[in-house]
């Protein structure tokens, strides 16, 4: 994999040569390093794919001038929610707190999105909301989730075209674990996905491992 920030000694040498002599052909770089053109092919591919170098036919390689941190920022700004969101788990607002606990266990999620009969988002239910409702031996079968959830319009949502980095900012600012990904309909907001700290951690890992083009 093309680990952008982990260049080999030879790749660093290639960068230096191109910085000083570019535009320069692969053949000329190979001559300077006393290796064959074929030996350099994978290194040149990595350096162009990761954005350090650019190549023009019949001209050669030249240095793009982008620093590793600029390249990383470019990639972050290309990562949208759509590629990282997962399937949302929703519950009807009339369901009981007891049902909500069962759904969380069965679906293995920490947050449920609450919807009305038109499948429109009306609230969010977290683990702590359920723990709070459980204090004091109340009958959890008799408490509808609509009573204990966080409700619209105070729900933070995002669209699948939003940037992952902007969602990360919201999660930190609002101290929450995830957001519903929504689409506007004439009835209200329809939940089409969810993006959580786990999704974002995964994206972060892919970025570190250079798997994002
Ligand atoms: P937990 O309560 O399990 O730690 P969170 O930190 O996500 O989980 O939730 C904290 C509080 O914020 C809860 O009361 C929850 O209902 C509310 N909450 C969670 N997600 C959102 C959201 N996207 N918009 C508004 N409120 C939310």
């Amino acid at each position: 994999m093309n680990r952008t920030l982990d260049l080999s000694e030879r790749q660093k040498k290639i960068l230096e040569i191109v910085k000083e002599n570019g535009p320069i052909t692969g053949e000329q770089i190979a001559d300077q390093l006393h290796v064959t053109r074929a030996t350099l092919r994978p290194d040149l591919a990595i350096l162009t794919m990761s954005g350090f170098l650019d190549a023009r036919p019949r001209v050669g390689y030249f240095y793009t001038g982008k620093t590793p941190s600029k390249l990383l920022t470019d990639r972050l700004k290309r990562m949208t929610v759509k590629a990282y969101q997962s399937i949302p788990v929703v519950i009807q607002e009339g369901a009981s707190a007891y049902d909500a606990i069962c759904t969380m266990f069965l679906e293995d999620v920490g947050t449920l999105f609450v919807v009305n009969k038109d499948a429109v988002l009306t609230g969010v239910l977290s683990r702590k909301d359920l723990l709070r409702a459980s204090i004091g031996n109340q009958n959890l079968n008799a408490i509808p989730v609509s009573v204990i959830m966080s409700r619209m319009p105070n729900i933070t949502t995002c669209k699948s075209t939003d940037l992952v980095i902007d969602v990360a900012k919201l999660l930190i600012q609002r101290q929450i674990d995830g957001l519903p990904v929504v689409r506007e309909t004439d009835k209200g907001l329809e939940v089409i996905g969810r993006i959580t700290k786990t999704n974002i951690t995964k994206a972060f890992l892919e970025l570190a491992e250079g798997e994002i083009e």
Side-chain angles (χ1 to χ4, degrees):
M1 277 291 118
N2 55 331
R3 299 176 133 262
T4 321
L5 302 172
D6 261 356
L7 297 181
S8 70
E9 281 311 308
R10 187 155 70 202
Q11 289 160 1
K12 285 181 195 158
K13 270 192 204 144
I14 296 172
L15 272 188
E16 285 311 312
I17 292 172
V18 179
K19 248 190 225 176
E20 279 175 30
N21 308 291
I24 179 170
T25 65
E27 204 66 55
Q28 290 165 330
I29 303 171
D31 280 350
Q32 291 207 27
L33 290 171
H34 310 295
V35 295
T36 65
R37 171 79 180 84
T39 313
L40 283 192
R41 197 158 288 138
D43 293 318
L44 288 169
I46 286 168
L47 291 170
T48 34
M49 259 182 352
S50 50
F52 286 107
L53 297 184
D54 218 339
R56 288 218 194 102
R58 285 181 297 278
V59 177
Y61 293 91
F62 57 92
Y63 185 60
T64 58
K66 291 185 177 172
T67 59
S69 80
K70 170 80 173 86
L71 290 167
L72 198 61
T73 316
D74 286 353
R75 282 174 187 211
L76 271 171
K77 290 190 176 152
R78 280 202 299 269
M79 291 161 69
T80 53
V81 168
K82 196 177 171 55
Y84 297 95
Q85 71 189 55
S86 37
I87 295 167
V89 179
V90 300
I91 189 163
Q92 289 287 324
E93 53 186 8
S96 69
Y98 184 86
D99 292 335
I101 294 171
C102 296
T103 306
M104 268 191 192
F105 275 102
L106 286 172
E107 304 282 350
D108 197 17
V109 290
T111 308
L112 300 175
F113 302 130
V114 186
V115 294
N116 65 17
K117 292 206 170 53
D118 292 327
V120 164
L121 177 70
T122 57
V124 169
L125 200 64
S126 78
R127 284 177 283 218
K128 245 179 273 152
D129 296 331
L130 287 164
L131 283 174
R132 201 178 299 116
S134 311
I135 294 171
N137 296 322
Q138 306 187 55
N139 179 5
L140 293 177
N141 277 304
I143 305 174
V145 295
S146 55
V147 174
I148 57 174
M149 68 186 188
S150 299
R151 61 185 58 251
M152 288 290 276
N154 299 322
I155 302 300
T156 310
T157 64
C158 70
K159 297 200 210 82
S160 56
T161 49
D162 287 346
L163 292 176
V164 169
I165 192 79
D166 290 332
V167 172
K169 270 185 218 154
L170 285 173
L171 296 186
I172 297 298
Q173 277 168 7
R174 315 248 156 118
Q175 301 186 336
I176 49 181
D177 289 346
L179 299 186
V181 184
V182 299
R183 178 165 62 197
E184 272 178 47
T185 70
D186 40 0
K187 287 182 176 157
L189 297 178
E190 180 194 357
V191 185
I192 56 171
R194 85 191 142 95
I195 182 142
T196 64
K197 286 179 179 171
T198 308
N199 299 113
I200 293 177
T201 307
K202 204 168 151 231
F204 177 71
L205 211 56
E206 281 183 21
L207 193 67
E209 287 175 348
E211 285 169 15
I212 296 162
E213 283 302 310

